[in-house]
Amino acid sequence: VRAVVLTDAGLTFDAAYPEPKPKRGEVIVRVLRAGICGTDLEMLRGYKGFRGVPGHEFVGVVEGCDDCPSLVGKRVVGEINVGCGECARCQSVGPGHCSTREVMGLIARDGAFAEKVSLPIGNLFVVDDAVAEERTVFAEPLAAALHILWQVSVAKRDRVVVLGPGRLGRLVAMVLRRHTPDLTLVGRSDAVPDDPDLVIDCTGTPEGFARAVECAGPLGTVVLKSTCAGDATVPASLLTKIVVNENDVIGSRCGSRENFEDAATMLVSGDIDPSPLVEATYRLEDFARAFAHAARPGALKVLFDPTL
Amino acid sequence: VRAVVLTDAGLTFDAAYPEPKPKRGEVIVRVLRAGICGTDLEMLRGYKGFRGVPGHEFVGVVEGCDDCPSLVGKRVVGEINVGCGECARCQSVGPGHCSTREVMGLIARDGAFAEKVSLPIGNLFVVDDAVAEERTVFAEPLAAALHILWQVSVAKRDRVVVLGPGRLGRLVAMVLRRHTPDLTLVGRSDAVPDDPDLVIDCTGTPEGFARAVECAGPLGTVVLKSTCAGDATVPASLLTKIVVNENDVIGSRCGSRENFEDAATMLVSGDIDPSPLVEATYRLEDFARAFAHAARPGALKVLFDPTL
């Protein structure tokens, strides 16, 4: 299959990458659209040391499935974590914290920047064919944004600040604005409102973390929503600030299965429509231009269309 | 009065420091014992830029009080924050997060390393004369340890790790062991049990924070209980770890009024007796030896006895 592949030599295009080989209980999905996320950009800088096909945001069509003929031809989005299914964490909180998990496009499993990808049946959620792929491709990042509401409560009087008006920050803002009108999306040179109750760091930079802690103030909650790669450091004085202000700093990663289901439902119903965040769509062959575009400061969502 | 004073030139002894001048609603307390805490040591290295008499852990006797004659001669411990009393934070959570607060021995208010100290009547809690000063002098750090239980729940099946077996770590361990039998107090070269539910960092070092995050693991909670001074840094990769593992990192500082009341009650009843942590008691004049002793690696509690 045609695929974008991360190798020791960097990102390449392979016109004849091996067909995905579905394991027991898995199906082949033909990818219609796949989105580039900040974590994909960081992987290029060495984060996680992943080798293979990146891409963990997608919408596709089930191509073939012996165990589930009714799924064939269905439009699907998919949860990206594949756990052992048997450990205490898989049983209690799902595959996202399984110590032997695979994650499509991120850990030990090929992802969606290819014509086809394999995933367990149980990871898939059917979405309506009639909804534009530019909308349903947001299922994974939307689930991740919805996950914040599983970790912290946001009520209508809460003052929320989202740092980083990029693709992730804007999506998080769309989700949280449904819970409070008092939300400010803040860029690098914007002023921050005083004394917010909750600050979500979507900058993916150590400076963003510092700014989040600075502006959270006494008893404020900070959600860290994006990872930072590289050898950067943050001043230990920020830790002292967290102690003195008694902040609550919460790491937030993927959506759970339930968040995914909610995300798929909201995208299909149109309750949330992030498709205006799509800035450009590229062929797999044009991976270098696509990644360069996604890496531009302020760039919003860049997609691959593997059918082109 | 005789006092230990932090000046631009460093820590000094002053045999004739000005008598404390009680403001309206305040009383003079004659100090019987005062404890040296990690924060006092950090102030010597520049933390907070405080100038004046340090010391915020004490037990004393009320010397005179026009508004409250019944308090005169009573043995007391005292809450250290003095807020404006009128802002939203003073009204809701008490003086500890008032933006104009004074804190005895730490911010804009003389502390207890002196023969006498002034505090508002409302900050004082009467304790039984019959209980040894070596025990009641722990009211402030015990309230700070109890405060953890206001921030996180600790149930009998929880696996708790306390990093830093110093004076603070041991006190925290005494408090939390009442809630779970599965608590391990871990020193620099000790192994950490796998997969704890809760890690309390009492090391006061950036390395301690790093170790706390490393050992907390997926979905683990980290309480930062001690501040670190200086220009140290921590790797930003720890922030990524917090995101990927979805940790909850909670800053924890002073006890509230209610924690203080509980602490005083528990010390008087003997439910908790930290007096075995006292390693030495010094005269105010011997401040240099006292601080050097408290700064030794592994040193436990060092007291001043201003009556000597």
Side-chain angles (χ1 to χ4, degrees), chain A:
Chain A
V1 294
R2 291 157 57 245
V4 176
V5 187
L6 183 55
T7 69
D8 287 341
L11 209 57
T12 58
F13 173 76
D14 188 339
Y17 192 74
E19 286 266 335
K21 290 180 197 59
K23 295 178 198 160
R24 198 186 164 85
E26 295 189 5
V27 296
I28 301 280
V29 174
R30 200 157 32 82
V31 180
L32 297 174
R33 295 289 188 288
I36 300 179
C37 142
T39 308
D40 298 320
L41 297 169
E42 278 164 29
M43 278 203 311
L44 297 194
R45 298 182 210 122
Y47 174 59
K48 277 188 186 296
F50 174 75
R51 294 291 173 266
V53 179
H56 56 275
E57 304 179 358
F58 76 97
V59 55
V61 175
V62 175
E63 189 164 274
C65 181
D66 292 343
D67 298 336
C68 52
S70 66
L71 265 187
V72 176
K74 287 281 196 293
R75 184 80 61 96
V76 291
V77 295
E79 219 257 87
I80 69 177
N81 291 282
V82 181
C84 72
E86 282 163 21
C87 69
R89 289 209 198 96
C90 276
Q91 300 280 338
S92 60
V93 296
H97 291 287
C98 173
S99 63
T100 60
R101 73 183 176 279
E102 300 173 355
V103 187
M104 70 177 286
L106 289 163
I107 302 175
R109 172 175 277 270
D110 280 334
F113 297 161
E115 286 179 285
K116 296 179 186 176
V117 65
S118 176
L119 265 182
I121 298 170
N123 280 50
L124 302 179
F125 298 86
V126 174
V127 294
D128 196 313
D129 289 18
V131 182
E133 296 89 340
E134 284 71 21
R135 196 197 288 173
T136 45
V137 74
F138 281 93
E140 196 280 332
L142 178 58
L146 290 169
H147 190 52
I148 296 171
L149 295 165
W150 272 36
Q151 298 181 288
V152 295
S153 68
V154 178
K156 68 177 176 190
R157 296 184 177 209
D158 288 336
R159 308 183 65 194
V160 176
V161 166
V162 177
L163 296 182
R167 50 202 152 235
L168 178 62
R170 282 173 201 248
L171 195 58
V172 166
M174 288 175 90
V175 166
L176 298 188
R177 276 217 180 91
R178 294 162 53 91
H179 291 257
T180 177
D182 196 343
L183 182 144
T184 314
L185 186 57
V186 171
R188 200 180 285 257
S189 53
D190 299 334
V192 177
D194 282 343
D195 212 13
D197 300 292
L198 175 63
V199 181
I200 319 279
D201 176 27
C202 298
T203 65
T205 66
E207 295 74 30
F209 171 70
R211 196 166 185 210
V213 171
E214 298 282 353
C215 81
L219 302 173
T221 299
V222 173
V223 171
L224 300 182
K225 195 64 205 173
S226 48
T227 53
C228 12
D231 300 326
T233 59
V234 293
S237 58
L238 285 173
L239 304 179
T240 293
K241 205 165 280 254
I242 290 169
V243 173
V244 171
N245 282 336
E246 302 200 297
N247 297 120
D248 191 353
V249 179
I250 299 170
S252 179
R253 201 185 69 197
C254 302
S256 67
R257 235 196 112 66
E258 294 81 358
N259 300 142
F260 235 94
E261 199 159 3
D262 289 348
T265 304
M266 292 167 91
L267 291 169
V268 168
S269 70
D271 275 355
I272 284 194
D273 181 7
S275 58
L277 300 180
V278 174
E279 254 183 25
T281 302
Y282 289 87
R283 300 164 67 225
L284 293 173
E285 285 80 350
D286 297 327
F287 72 92
R289 281 173 52 214
F291 269 77
H293 186 156
R296 283 181 212 155
L300 299 180
K301 188 56 76 182
V302 174
L303 301 181
F304 282 114
D305 180 347
T307 69
L308 292 178

Side-chain angles (χ1 to χ4, degrees), chain B residues 10-256:
Chain B
L11 209 57
T12 59
F13 174 76
D14 188 339
Y17 192 74
E19 286 266 337
K21 289 180 197 59
K23 296 179 197 157
R24 196 186 165 85
E26 295 189 4
V27 295
I28 301 279
V29 175
R30 200 155 34 79
V31 180
L32 297 175
R33 296 287 188 289
I36 300 179
C37 142
T39 308
D40 298 320
L41 298 169
E42 278 165 29
M43 278 204 310
L44 298 193
R45 299 183 209 122
Y47 174 60
K48 276 188 187 294
F50 174 76
R51 295 291 174 265
V53 179
H56 55 276
E57 303 178 358
F58 76 97
V59 56
V61 174
V62 176
E63 187 163 274
C65 182
D66 292 343
D67 298 338
C68 52
S70 66
L71 265 187
V72 176
K74 287 280 196 294
R75 186 80 61 98
V76 290
V77 294
E79 219 256 87
I80 68 177
N81 292 282
V82 181
C84 70
E86 283 163 21
C87 69
R89 290 210 196 95
C90 276
Q91 299 280 337
S92 60
V93 295
H97 290 287
C98 173
S99 63
T100 61
R101 73 183 176 278
E102 300 173 355
V103 187
M104 71 177 285
L106 289 164
I107 303 175
R109 171 175 279 268
D110 280 334
F113 297 161
E115 286 179 287
K116 296 178 187 176
V117 65
S118 177
L119 264 183
I121 298 170
N123 281 50
L124 302 179
F125 298 85
V126 174
V127 293
D128 195 313
D129 289 17
V131 182
E133 296 89 341
E134 284 72 21
R135 195 196 290 173
T136 46
V137 73
F138 282 93
E140 196 279 333
L142 178 57
L146 289 169
H147 190 53
I148 296 170
L149 294 165
W150 273 36
Q151 299 182 287
V152 294
S153 69
V154 178
K156 68 178 175 189
R157 294 184 179 210
D158 287 337
R159 307 182 65 192
V160 177
V161 166
V162 178
L163 296 183
R167 50 200 152 235
L168 178 61
R170 283 174 201 249
L171 195 58
V172 166
M174 288 175 89
V175 166
L176 298 188
R177 276 218 180 91
R178 295 162 53 92
H179 292 258
T180 177
D182 196 343
L183 183 144
T184 314
L185 185 58
V186 171
R188 199 181 286 256
S189 52
D190 299 334
V192 177
D194 282 343
D195 212 13
D197 300 292
L198 175 63
V199 181
I200 319 280
D201 175 28
C202 298
T203 64
T205 66
E207 295 76 27
F209 171 70
R211 197 167 184 209
V213 171
E214 298 282 353
C215 81
L219 302 172
T221 299
V222 173
V223 171
L224 300 181
K225 194 64 206 172
S226 48
T227 53
C228 11
D231 300 326
T233 58
V234 293
S237 58
L238 285 173
L239 305 180
T240 293
K241 205 165 280 256
I242 291 169
V243 172
V244 171
N245 282 335
E246 302 200 296
N247 298 120
D248 191 353
V249 179
I250 299 169
S252 179
R253 200 184 70 198
C254 301
S256 67

